[in-house]
Amino acid sequence: MLEISGVCKCYGQHEVLRDVSLTIGQEIRVIIGLNGSGKSTLLKIIAGILAADAGQVVLNGRDVSALPPEERRVGYVPQHPALFSHLIVRENVRYGLRGGRGSDELVQKVVKMLDLEDVLERKPEELSGGYKSRTSLARALAPQPQVMLLDEPLSDIDVAIKEKLLPEFREVLKFLKVPVLYVTHDPWEAEQIGDSFSVMVDGCIRDIASAEEAFAFIRKNRIEVA
C-alpha cells in the first residue's frame, strides 16, 4: 500500500504541488496531466529524489518521507532511459541487485517477460528505443521494489513499438504485485496500461473513472481557467 498525505512543494513563489493525497494498493494507477501540472515532481518526491515541503509518504505502513532513495525500495523509471553506456544490458539489469535485494530468479523472469534474452550482451548504443525502455524497466524491477514509478517511459517510442511494449509492461508490472504509478499524457496509452486513474491539474490531484474522463476534465479546467 502506498499512501501520500498532504504533500506540498514550491519552487520559490510557484506552488507545484498543493496538498496532494493519494492511496493505492496492488494496482496500476495512471496519473494523467499536462506538462507542468506536477506529475513528475510527485514521483520524484515519492522516490526520494526531491524533498517535499510538507506531507508524508507512507509505504506499507512505514513513513519513508525522511529516508534517502536507496532505503525506500522504490523502483523509478524516468522518461529517458538512463542506462550505463559502458555496461552491456545484462550488467545494466543486474546493477539493480547491488545491496543484496532481488534475486537471480527474478532477474531471469523479468528478462524473459520483457524479451531481453537476445540483447543481453549488447551495449545501450546498440539498442533500439524500445529495447532501451525494456532494459530501464528491467533494471528498476530487479531489486524487487515495494512500489514502482514510471514517468512517461514510452514518450520517445513510436506508436507501432508502443503497441507492442504496453502489454509487456503491463504483464511484468502486474506480476510484481506492488503499487504502480504510471505517468502519461497519452489517453490511449493510459487506457491500455491502467487499472485506475487520477488526474492532476495545477498541482492538485483527484481520482477519476477513466482516461477519457480525465482528459475531458483537463479540457474543461483549461477553458474555465482561461
Side-chain angles (χ1 to χ4, degrees):
M1 181 76 72
L2 173 65
E3 300 170 271
I4 305 156
S5 303
V7 167
C8 300
K9 181 67 178 179
C10 294
Y11 293 116
Q13 298 299 313
H14 179 49
E15 195 173 27
V16 181
L17 296 176
R18 294 187 284 171
D19 195 27
V20 171
S21 296
L22 182 67
T23 299
I24 66 169
Q26 293 182 8
E27 62 185 292
I28 301 176
R29 172 71 60 88
V30 178
I31 299 181
I32 299 161
L34 301 175
N35 290 335
S37 60
K39 307 182 305 297
S40 295
T41 297
L42 177 61
L43 263 58
K44 289 176 180 178
I45 287 173
I46 297 169
I49 298 168
L50 293 175
D53 296 329
Q56 287 184 314
V57 177
V58 177
L59 181 55
N60 294 332
R62 181 190 184 203
D63 187 349
V64 300
S65 307
L67 296 180
E70 61 271 16
E71 294 183 22
R72 295 194 181 198
R73 295 198 64 184
V74 172
Y76 177 67
V77 180
Q79 183 173 356
H80 307 293
L83 303 176
F84 297 112
S85 60
H86 64 290
L87 300 180
I88 61 175
V89 169
R90 184 192 308 278
E91 293 166 335
N92 264 285
V93 174
R94 292 186 61 82
Y95 186 83
L97 296 179
R98 71 197 191 286
R101 292 185 176 138
S103 67
D104 288 332
E105 182 180 1
L106 176 61
V107 167
Q108 291 170 11
K109 179 69 173 177
V110 167
V111 163
K112 184 175 182 179
M113 293 177 76
L114 290 172
D115 194 26
L116 289 170
E117 293 167 303
D118 292 338
V119 299
L120 288 174
E121 305 306 316
R122 297 184 187 178
K123 287 190 173 180
E125 64 188 29
E126 303 175 76
L127 301 177
S128 66
Y131 277 107
K132 287 179 182 178
S133 295
R134 286 182 172 103
T135 303
S136 183
L137 176 57
R139 185 175 65 184
L141 291 168
Q144 201 163 2
Q146 294 183 340
V147 63
M148 276 295 300
L149 312 173
L150 298 95
D151 191 357
E152 301 194 46
L154 301 179
S155 61
D156 295 336
I157 307 299
D158 64 47
V159 174
I161 299 300
K162 189 181 290 190
E163 287 180 355
K164 177 176 174 57
L165 284 179
L166 280 170
E168 295 178 9
F169 272 39
R170 179 172 169 81
E171 180 186 13
V172 74
L173 290 169
K174 296 297 286 185
F175 166 76
L176 207 60
K177 296 181 180 179
V178 299
V180 177
L181 284 179
Y182 189 106
V183 162
T184 184
H185 59 261
D186 181 334
W188 179 82
E189 182 179 344
E191 291 285 6
Q192 294 299 308
I193 196 78
D195 296 317
S196 57
F197 306 90
S198 293
V199 62
M200 182 169 278
V201 176
D202 295 332
C204 296
I205 199 166
R206 59 179 287 176
D207 295 347
I208 209 135
S210 68
E212 183 179 356
E213 287 188 26
F215 283 95
F217 178 86
I218 290 170
R219 288 192 296 270
K220 179 175 181 292
N221 182 274
R222 292 185 76 193
I223 291 170
E224 288 178 349
V225 170

